Structures are given as C-alpha cells and as structure tokens.
Amino acid sequence: MAQWELFRRIWHLNREAAGGPKTWETGHIEGDKHHLAYLRSLTKERKQTDSSANIPLADMEVVVVDLETTGFYPDHGDEIISIGAVAMKGERLLLGDSFYTLVKPGRSIPPHIRSLTDITDDTVHDAPELTHVLSRFFRYVGDRPLVAHHSRHEREFLRAGLWKTSRRPFKHRMLDTMLFIRLLRRSIGNGSLDALCAMHDIPISRRHHAYCDAVAAGALWGKYLSLAQEAGYMNLRQVYEALR
C-alpha cells in the first residue's frame, strides 16, 4: 500500500506541476508546414546504428512510450488517440522529463475503446492533429532509443503515422521490455503488463491511460535492467550476443 501511495502522489504531483508533464502544453510551432518539414527531416541523415549498444546499461538513456489507439490495425484505419512517455536513465524513471498528449483522430472512437480509455470523441475534439503531435513527440525524444512493452503495437502505429503525415519511414531505434525478460528466462505468466507489474508489485495508477502505462512499463524495464546487470550484463551488445 505504501508503494501504491507513492506512485499515486507522484502521478498527482506530476499532473499539477505546470498542468501536467512538461510537454503537455508546449511546442506549438508556427503552422503545419513547420511540423511537416521537421518530420520530413527525421530520416534524411538518420541511420540505424549500434551507437547505444556499447553504453553501460546503468547510463543508457531511453524514452518509454505507450499509445492508446482506436483499435489494433493501423493499416485498416485505426489511429492514435493519445501518446504518453517518460524518460529513463539506467533503471531510474525521470518523471520530470515526460510527455503526454491527446491526438485528434480522423475517425470516431469505438464504444469499447471509449469504455477502456475514457477517451471520447468530445475529449479529442480540440486535441492537436497527428502531424503536430508527432513533430512534438520526436523533438522530445531526440536521439534517445524508444522502449515499449510488446513494442510491435507502438512501432506499427508510429510507422503508419509517420508515413501518413510525411511519407517517411519509421527508423528510430525501438527496444522491447521483453528483451531483458527473455534474456533472464524468468517466468512471465501471460506476459501482459498487468501480470508482470503484479509479479513485481509495480502499481499502475490508471490502466489504459498512455502516460500511466508508460510509467508502469518504465518501472518494469528498470526492474529487469537491474536484474540483467546483477547477472553480469554490462551493455546491450552483450545482451544481443547472449540472445543469438
């Protein structure tokens, strides 16, 4: 209960500070053209490299991201309705370096998604559109790798979103929380965020809220990153080699 109260208080403090995580209300750039130009610049010189593979796990900086969407199939019309993210250094959550926004989709939100997320068509009526959001989000992320729990969902929607808005491929490095879990061959039950967080007494202050789920996934990433270091793994290159 003490841990739950700590997370609850952190969540409320984080929301109250400047109206929420620092990028909720920042980054309005002059006009759609500026946002679009930035997105189109992302892949001009970006190459997927292993530059982060040799960084000690204790010093590795990442951004843990979670998306809420209208469904599971971006290639069949489903769209992002919110993005939440939190930065980490090693196993430490950097709650002061976080991101959250609603996104205005180009379609109505299905009833089961409204029930699951508490996000309705009215909620997103005045939300920024995807081009604006992706521009702000990738400026926030910078060169830091992304992390997500069962990352295919986030990868596919970010891929589809970038292609839809700017005709650019998604080339950002994305890691999965399951990387260290598979490495350590730990019992994971059904592998869901709920099951794994319950296994490690990690509370989720509000399930199916993108920011809260990102914080929980970050805590999970930090837990297994610490276990990997205890097992003798010092950087991602050693992890990749062990998993071959």
Side-chain angles (χ1 to χ4, degrees):
M1 289 299 293
Q3 189 179 26
W4 167 258
E5 178 65 16
L6 173 62
F7 269 71
R8 186 188 68 80
R9 292 176 71 179
I10 288 172
W11 164 242
H12 285 294
L13 285 171
N14 217 36
R15 289 197 67 183
E16 290 166 5
K22 70 176 183 181
T23 51
W24 284 26
E25 299 297 335
T26 64
H28 182 71
I29 306 169
E30 306 84 38
D32 292 346
K33 290 183 180 180
H34 198 143
H35 289 291
L36 185 57
Y38 178 75
L39 292 179
R40 287 177 172 169
S41 75
L42 283 176
T43 57
K44 278 187 177 180
E45 298 180 1
R46 183 186 296 277
K47 296 180 180 178
Q48 282 192 319
T49 68
D50 271 348
S51 59
S52 62
N54 294 317
I55 296 174
L57 295 179
D59 298 325
M60 186 170 64
E61 296 184 26
V62 301
V63 171
V64 186
V65 61
D66 185 85
L67 307 180
E68 297 302 330
T69 59
T70 61
F72 296 104
Y73 305 106
D75 292 334
H76 292 83
D78 284 318
E79 298 195 21
I80 299 169
I81 55 176
S82 68
I83 300 179
V86 61
M88 297 187 68
K89 183 172 183 178
E91 67 272 18
R92 293 186 296 113
L93 284 161
L94 306 177
L95 294 175
D97 185 3
S98 55
F99 181 98
Y100 177 79
T101 185
L102 295 166
V103 186
K104 186 174 185 176
R107 56 160 295 175
S108 62
I109 300 173
H112 68 285
I113 298 297
R114 296 200 300 263
S115 176
L116 191 68
T117 65
D118 287 332
I119 298 174
T120 67
D121 293 335
D122 287 342
T123 307
V124 296
H125 183 267
D126 294 322
E129 295 185 354
L130 187 61
T131 303
H132 292 221
V133 168
L134 290 180
S135 173
R136 290 170 50 204
F137 176 67
F138 282 108
R139 286 174 184 271
Y140 159 72
V141 173
D143 292 329
R144 295 176 291 189
L146 292 169
V147 171
H149 185 64
H150 292 310
S151 61
R152 181 177 178 179
H153 181 257
E154 278 70 24
R155 182 190 304 275
E156 289 302 300
F157 273 91
L158 290 172
R159 176 195 60 77
L162 278 174
W163 188 255
K164 176 182 177 180
T165 57
S166 61
R167 292 298 188 264
R168 290 297 186 266
F170 176 69
K171 291 189 175 182
H172 207 94
R173 176 184 286 279
M174 176 166 273
L175 305 170
D176 199 303
T177 52
M178 300 300 291
L179 179 71
F180 291 120
I181 298 172
R182 289 196 299 269
L183 172 73
L184 299 169
R185 296 179 174 83
R186 299 299 177 102
S187 174
I188 60 172
N190 64 13
S192 70
L193 184 63
D194 301 89
L196 286 164
C197 285
M199 185 183 301
H200 295 289
D201 297 320
I202 297 171
I204 307 177
S205 58
R206 183 177 166 191
R207 189 67 171 98
H208 299 296
H209 184 288
Y211 178 70
C212 297
D213 285 356
V215 170
L220 190 66
W221 169 263
K223 173 69 175 179
Y224 279 95
L225 185 144
S226 294
L227 291 172
Q229 291 177 89
E230 290 173 10
Y233 296 97
M234 302 307 297
N235 55 47
L236 280 181
R237 190 174 299 282
Q238 292 178 353
V239 173
Y240 293 148
E241 290 172 353
L243 289 171
R244 284 177 183 169

